[in-house]
Amino acid sequence: MSDSYPPPDPNVTPWSGPPAPQQGGYPPYGQPSPQPYYGTPPPPDTSNKGLIIGLVAGAVVVILAICGAGIGILLAYDNDEPARDTSSTPTPGTGSTPGTGTVPTPGQADPPNNNNAMTARYSSDLANACDGSPILNAAPYNGPAGAKAYTFSNNPDRPTSWSSTYVPSDKSYYAKGADFQKVSVVGCLSFDEGSQGAPKKCQYKDKAEKQVTVDYVSSRYTLTFHAARTAEKIGDGGTVTAPTNRCPSFISYDRNTMRAYATPDSGTIEAALDRFLS
């Protein structure tokens, strides 16, 4: 049996000690490892140059924005129209308080001093001119030519209650109920106190078909003409009778007194309107 040994290491010479460390390897055992040197870091930059630049830039933007607003305001008011005078110049016709003037609505009268002035909503409202109330939205009276007219008569039992009376529809002064704002003349037939005649006995049947007797009374009225818009009297129409020559086919009576008053004569009203508005 023969002894066999491994071949000698070419990197080791007999008794030459351990092999030298390779480049980039660890240091030999027992020697400290050198610490890497990075140098002293530079101190932090405490300069405010960036902040100052940012603030300056922001201020420039704000200044430009303000300038832009100023330019916009100047452009908005830089026109050919003169500036409005906001001093306390009184509005004409309204005393010394500025800006309190009332501008009349087209088709209406100037604001009246009469507390009873009113704006008509229906044709029957024009009867208020007979009681002295100006009708603000009535047509102005500029003379008889082209004037439109309504007539009303009061009730002997209720003097302040007015009812529409006859106006011939074939006349130029006739106006439909819907055209009340075109009316400039109101004829007022006022009952003459103490003018009642002897009653005429008229026979009728009531709603229960019971026979009743109604005292049908004649009387007289005084006709006056008024400007609807101002309620001022502008003419006289004379006396209009309310005859009871025959009993009417239809009658409205007071059930307490069993009395009814005749209506003013339509022919006399027409003749008075013709004279005044011709």
Side-chain angles (χ1 to χ4, degrees), residues 130-193:
C130 296
D131 290 324
S133 296
I135 308 301
L136 298 178
N137 56 338
Y141 177 69
N142 297 315
K148 303 294 183 182
Y150 284 163
T151 58
F152 300 91
S153 64
N154 65 354
N155 188 309
D157 291 332
R158 298 186 301 277
T160 59
S161 178
W162 297 86
S163 301
S164 177
T165 57
Y166 172 80
V167 174
S169 60
D170 60 343
K171 300 293 183 176
S172 61
Y173 47 79
Y174 171 80
K176 296 180 180 179
D179 296 333
F180 62 89
Q181 294 190 42
K182 298 179 181 179
V183 173
S184 60
V185 176
V186 174
C188 304
L189 292 145
S190 301
F191 173 74
D192 292 343
E193 291 289 345

Side-chain angles (χ1 to χ4, degrees), residues 65-106:
I66 295 175
C67 292
I71 293 172
I73 293 173
L74 290 176
L75 289 177
Y77 287 94
D78 185 15
N79 52 34
D80 295 334
E81 182 181 357
R84 295 182 182 273
D85 183 10
T86 57
S87 61
S88 58
T89 302
T91 303
T94 59
S96 59
T97 303
T100 58
T102 303
V103 179
T105 303

Side-chain angles (χ1 to χ4, degrees), residues 1 3 5 39 48 51 58 60 66 70 88 98 125 172 194 199 203 264 269:
M1 179 174 185
D3 296 334
Y5 298 94
N48 292 328
L51 178 60
V60 172
I66 295 175
S88 58
D125 289 337
S172 61
Q203 303 296 319
I269 295 174

Side-chain angles (χ1 to χ4, degrees), residues 22-262:
Q22 297 181 357
Q23 184 72 23
Y26 294 96
Y29 178 77
Q31 297 183 9
S33 174
Q35 296 296 324
Y37 175 76
Y38 296 103
T40 304
D45 187 7
T46 60
S47 173
N48 292 328
K49 292 188 293 181
L51 178 60
I52 293 173
I53 293 173
L55 292 176
V56 170
V60 172
V61 172
V62 173
I63 292 172
L64 289 177
I66 295 175
C67 292
I71 293 172
I73 293 173
L74 290 176
L75 289 177
Y77 287 94
D78 185 15
N79 52 34
D80 295 334
E81 182 181 357
R84 295 182 182 273
D85 183 10
T86 57
S87 61
S88 58
T89 302
T91 303
T94 59
S96 59
T97 303
T100 58
T102 303
V103 179
T105 303
Q108 291 188 347
D110 294 336
N113 295 325
N114 190 326
N115 292 341
N116 292 323
M118 61 174 292
T119 298
R121 299 179 60 190
Y122 310 101
S123 59
S124 58
D125 289 337
L126 271 74
N128 289 280
C130 296
D131 290 324
S133 296
I135 308 301
L136 298 178
N137 56 338
Y141 177 69
N142 297 315
K148 303 294 183 182
Y150 284 163
T151 58
F152 300 91
S153 64
N154 65 354
N155 188 309
D157 291 332
R158 298 186 301 277
T160 59
S161 178
W162 297 86
S163 301
S164 177
T165 57
Y166 172 80
V167 174
S169 60
D170 60 343
K171 300 293 183 176
S172 61
Y173 47 79
Y174 171 80
K176 296 180 180 179
D179 296 333
F180 62 89
Q181 294 190 42
K182 298 179 181 179
V183 173
S184 60
V185 176
V186 174
C188 304
L189 292 145
S190 301
F191 173 74
D192 292 343
E193 291 289 345
S195 65
Q196 298 94 322
K200 183 180 184 66
K201 303 294 183 178
C202 297
Q203 303 296 319
Y204 296 96
K205 288 184 178 181
D206 61 11
K207 292 181 179 180
E209 295 296 321
K210 180 182 177 181
Q211 191 78 24
V212 295
T213 301
V214 176
D215 289 338
Y216 190 43
V217 182
S218 63
S219 60
R220 295 187 301 274
Y221 290 80
T222 297
L223 174 60
T224 56
F225 295 109
H226 299 258
R229 193 163 179 171
T230 62
E232 295 175 346
K233 181 181 175 181
I234 55 176
D236 290 304
T239 299
V240 178
T241 60
T244 57
N245 297 326
R246 59 180 180 271
C247 296
S249 58
F250 175 82
I251 195 170
S252 178
Y253 61 94
D254 188 328
R255 288 186 296 177
N256 294 323
T257 62
M258 298 302 294
R259 183 175 57 196
Y261 285 89

